Amino acid sequence: MQYDFDRPIDRTRDISIKWSPQLRREMYGEADILPMGIADMDFPTAPAVARAVQARAAHETYGYGYLAPEFLDACVRWQRERHGWDIRPDWIIYTPGVNMALVCALEMYTQPGEGVIIQSPVYYPYYDYVNGTGRKLVLNPLVNREGRYEMDFARLEELAADPRNKLMLLCSPHNPVGRAWTRAELERVGRICLDHGVMLAVDEIHADLVLPPNRHIPFASLSPELAQHCIICTSPSKTFNLAGLLVSDIIIPSDEIRAAFRKKMAPYYLWPGNFGTAAQIAAYTEGGPWLDQLLDYLAGNARYIADFLAQNLPRVKYRVPEATYLAWLDCRDLGLTPEALWDRMLHRAKVAPDNGVLFGPQGEGDGFLRLNFACPRAQLQEALTRMAGALGDL
Ligand SMILES: Cc1ncc(COP(=O)(O)O)c(C=O)c1O
């Protein structure tokens, strides 16, 4: 079956952070701005997923659910088939989204005032997790080598050796720079953290969105030793556009860590929702062929951006990402301040990507824009054309 990713959908009447006219006015000062930020997709989910949710809705009772065997088995199969990672059903824990699980990990392994190692520029809520819980932000900035970001292992070793730094939050694949970390890179991070007793909370929410021929290496599959030293946070929410269903799979191979995580979450009495469960089972059971076509389409969009920029905005630097549907555009050669760049986006282009400034507290994202390309190509073309119009005089 051929799926249609070109079909535009009107999301303006959706209760959507990205598309609500009222929120766009509040956030950007323009209700009709073209939103190209917030990381959800302007595609409908896989038809099998939509059908499963509709069937669940038709049932008309929406009582408490639980982590049912068919839910757990679907997740186990998915990890094995898509990523070659063998997990057990009882390793899986539910939280309503990955953010909550990461904060839980952070509170389990650090006390207020202790350090959490984070590699910037990164998904900006990480800074809020740390600052909002009174922990200390310890930055190991990534190194930008002509658009390809790499980890600074020497600095990581130093930071990990400081006994006040107890946890590393690893984003794998990495949002916003689009790296799918290699086995060698992940092994090196793992070795450093093991040697210094630094626990790892690994955010693999973009794992299914690795663009071929790149591959996702599940962190806990690297070695039995590392599997016992991490909390893996993953989810079908980015992959199948289910963020509004509050789904996640928190996978913890270590009995001890899992028991501690469960204990910490127990007082909240969290149950997976009816619609999230239905969606997730369908996604992980029937969604593979749809996802393969999605990845093809996304790869086409990623290349489209490269061609468009080369022809129309050659001073904007961009490297096709290895993973995610996010383009990290380096606009620094345009010679604008980050404020002027943003002002041109909002008021001249009337396009709202995410402002790179948000992603780095030490200026790591200044002069960058993060453009979400999970949308029909015509919408992407419109956004880029408007951006070129707003920057073309430079
Ligand atoms: C790297 C990363 N982690 C976590 C999240 C949020 O996850 P959730 O909506 O499951 O809390 C996002 C959303 O964009 C993300 O990009």
Side-chain angles (χ1 to χ4, degrees), residues 85-158:
W85 181 28
D86 274 315
I87 61 170
R88 291 212 327 247
D90 62 318
W91 291 359
I92 304 166
I93 297 178
Y94 169 78
T95 60
V98 161
N99 282 329
M100 181 182 250
L102 291 170
V103 175
C104 174
L106 191 147
E107 290 187 329
M108 278 166 65
Y109 286 98
T110 58
Q111 296 299 317
E114 288 181 336
V116 180
I117 303 173
I118 290 181
Q119 308 198 103
S120 51
V122 77
Y123 177 59
Y124 50 83
Y126 283 17
Y127 307 121
D128 297 323
Y129 308 162
V130 175
N131 295 328
T133 56
R135 271 60 177 174
K136 184 163 171 255
L137 196 58
V138 177
L139 293 178
N140 184 42
L142 297 172
V143 182
N144 181 351
R145 291 196 206 288
E146 294 179 13
R148 186 172 195 268
Y149 283 79
E150 290 173 9
M151 299 192 209
D152 183 343
F153 290 107
R155 185 174 160 84
L156 181 60
E157 180 96 48
E158 271 172 38

Side-chain angles (χ1 to χ4, degrees), residues 40-307:
D40 65 20
M41 302 200 274
D42 292 328
F43 305 123
T45 187
V49 174
R51 277 197 303 275
V53 173
Q54 284 154 9
R56 185 65 190 81
H59 195 265
E60 297 185 0
T61 67
Y62 310 120
Y64 290 113
Y66 75 111
L67 268 183
E70 51 270 51
F71 175 98
L72 299 172
D73 291 345
C75 181
V76 169
R77 275 199 313 274
W78 183 262
Q79 288 300 338
R80 185 184 309 127
E81 284 163 17
R82 299 287 309 188
H83 303 300
W85 181 28
D86 274 315
I87 61 170
R88 291 212 327 247
D90 62 318
W91 291 359
I92 304 166
I93 297 178
Y94 169 78
T95 60
V98 161
N99 282 329
M100 181 182 250
L102 291 170
V103 175
C104 174
L106 191 147
E107 290 187 329
M108 278 166 65
Y109 286 98
T110 58
Q111 296 299 317
E114 288 181 336
V116 180
I117 303 173
I118 290 181
Q119 308 198 103
S120 51
V122 77
Y123 177 59
Y124 50 83
Y126 283 17
Y127 307 121
D128 297 323
Y129 308 162
V130 175
N131 295 328
T133 56
R135 271 60 177 174
K136 184 163 171 255
L137 196 58
V138 177
L139 293 178
N140 184 42
L142 297 172
V143 182
N144 181 351
R145 291 196 206 288
E146 294 179 13
R148 186 172 195 268
Y149 283 79
E150 290 173 9
M151 299 192 209
D152 183 343
F153 290 107
R155 185 174 160 84
L156 181 60
E157 180 96 48
E158 271 172 38
L159 298 176
D162 182 335
R164 289 167 301 181
N165 301 333
K166 298 272 171 49
L167 180 87
M168 176 168 186
L169 239 171
L170 178 66
C171 193
S172 175
H174 194 105
N175 166 12
V177 306
R179 281 297 317 280
W181 303 117
T182 61
R183 181 179 296 277
E185 286 170 315
L186 292 173
E187 279 174 350
R188 216 161 151 193
V189 175
R191 189 70 262 155
I192 292 172
C193 288
L194 272 179
D195 285 350
H196 298 288
V198 172
M199 184 55 67
L200 280 139
V202 188
D203 181 350
E204 300 193 351
I205 198 167
H206 293 275
D208 297 317
L209 294 168
V210 173
L211 304 173
N214 303 291
R215 281 208 54 201
H216 170 67
I217 312 288
F219 188 81
S221 73
L222 290 172
S223 73
E225 204 184 6
L226 281 174
Q228 295 299 312
H229 198 71
C230 62
I231 293 175
I232 305 297
C233 300
T234 185
S235 173
S237 65
K238 299 286 141 199
T239 323
F240 290 96
N241 214 17
L242 308 177
L245 294 182
L246 302 178
V247 286
S248 78
D249 307 302
I250 309 308
I251 306 175
I252 310 180
S254 152
D255 294 343
E256 197 186 320
I257 300 175
R258 198 168 60 250
F261 191 98
R262 284 218 165 97
K263 188 166 170 209
K264 173 119 183 98
M265 298 311 288
Y268 296 106
Y269 282 87
L270 296 170
W271 307 106
N274 304 148
F275 298 118
T277 298
Q280 183 155 344
I281 294 171
Y284 281 171
T285 309
E286 300 170 71
W290 179 88
L291 175 57
D292 291 336
Q293 288 183 36
L294 171 75
L295 291 175
D296 269 356
Y297 194 88
L298 291 176
N301 275 0
R303 282 193 305 272
Y304 180 86
I305 297 173
D307 293 343

